Amino acid sequence: MPLHPQVEGLLQQMAAAGAKGFSEMTVDECRQTFAGMLAGLPPSGAAIASVIDRKIPGPGIDIPVRLYTPEGNGPFPILMFFHGGGFVIGDLETHDAVCRELCAGSQAVVVAVDYRLAPEHPFPAAPDDCMAATRWAAANAAEINGDAQRMAVSGDSAGGNLAAVVAQQSVQEGPMLCAQLLIYPATCADGTETPSMVENASGYLLERSDMDWFLGHYLPNESDRSIPRSSPIHNTNLAGLAPALVITAEYDPLRDEGEAYARAMQAAGVDVEISRYDGAIHAFYSFFPILEQGRAAIDESNRWLTQHLAP
């Protein structure tokens, strides 16, 4: 179907403002532009009990995290959240509004992880940090008013990749997960050409050249690009993974690899729902304050999480 009118209007507004592609900027410019783009959106109106920033032990470093606690009496389910941004941009602030919405709507403690970014910290720093944070949350569930028996992972784009990687690793090493929310996840970093990567190569916010730029910073060693910790779709044993909701967008270069990973999980016997938003673009989820499709996707996520994280 054609672009949703609200999405088309957003793209026209960006073009009129002279917005440059991510790959046309320096890393610092890209980080500032991305932060400014999301900071300009209306704030989340979700009512939650508290938001606390702290640092937790990581793989030789302390990892900043932000803890969102819902209103009511716990212990609550625990939802790990790994932000998007191509492993190069994004932080706790860029995805603060999304985390507030997920906290309030799913009635879960959300643990947002400020993992290390490339190019300063290339692969495997990001998955190492996200796995360490997930283990910490499970081990310290009582301290954060959480229930380690009801844990899920989530993330958008690069964060969806990290959530998938953590979910795979958790099957063998723990902690046990109840759900994985993968929002237009990047699942294949080896350069495999999909129809959506060709059809949506330019003109829809995230472009193919941007993906090449991001992955060039994150995975400078070609040999790392086809292993499951960078490309979760290359894991040949997906049995035992937690149930998943995979959200995709029609006009997104990553659409096909996200849906292909979902189908691979289904073939391995995993309970998976695929939810494609026709007329939407990459990042529409983060634009929920101004895009009704983003709002609908967050509401769908919360309904699904509530079901899968129930006692």
Side-chain angles (χ1 to χ4, degrees), residues 153-243:
V153 291
S154 64
D156 64 314
S157 193
N161 169 288
L162 295 169
V165 168
V166 169
Q168 290 185 6
Q169 196 166 343
S170 294
V171 171
Q172 302 299 325
E173 305 172 16
M176 182 182 70
L177 300 175
C178 296
Q180 43 178 334
L181 170 62
L182 310 181
I183 306 157
Y184 32 77
T187 66
C188 184
D190 66 2
T192 299
E193 190 171 88
T194 62
S196 66
M197 189 67 73
V198 175
E199 296 164 5
N200 304 319
S202 62
Y204 302 110
L205 186 60
L206 178 68
E207 304 196 340
R208 183 173 185 169
S209 58
D210 300 328
M211 286 303 304
D212 293 340
W213 186 80
F214 285 132
L215 293 175
H217 288 306
Y218 179 55
L219 294 159
N221 297 321
E222 290 286 339
S223 60
D224 289 332
R225 297 193 175 199
S226 58
I227 62 176
R229 286 198 87 213
S230 65
S231 294
I233 200 168
H234 287 309
N235 191 329
T236 57
N237 182 12
L238 301 177
L241 283 171

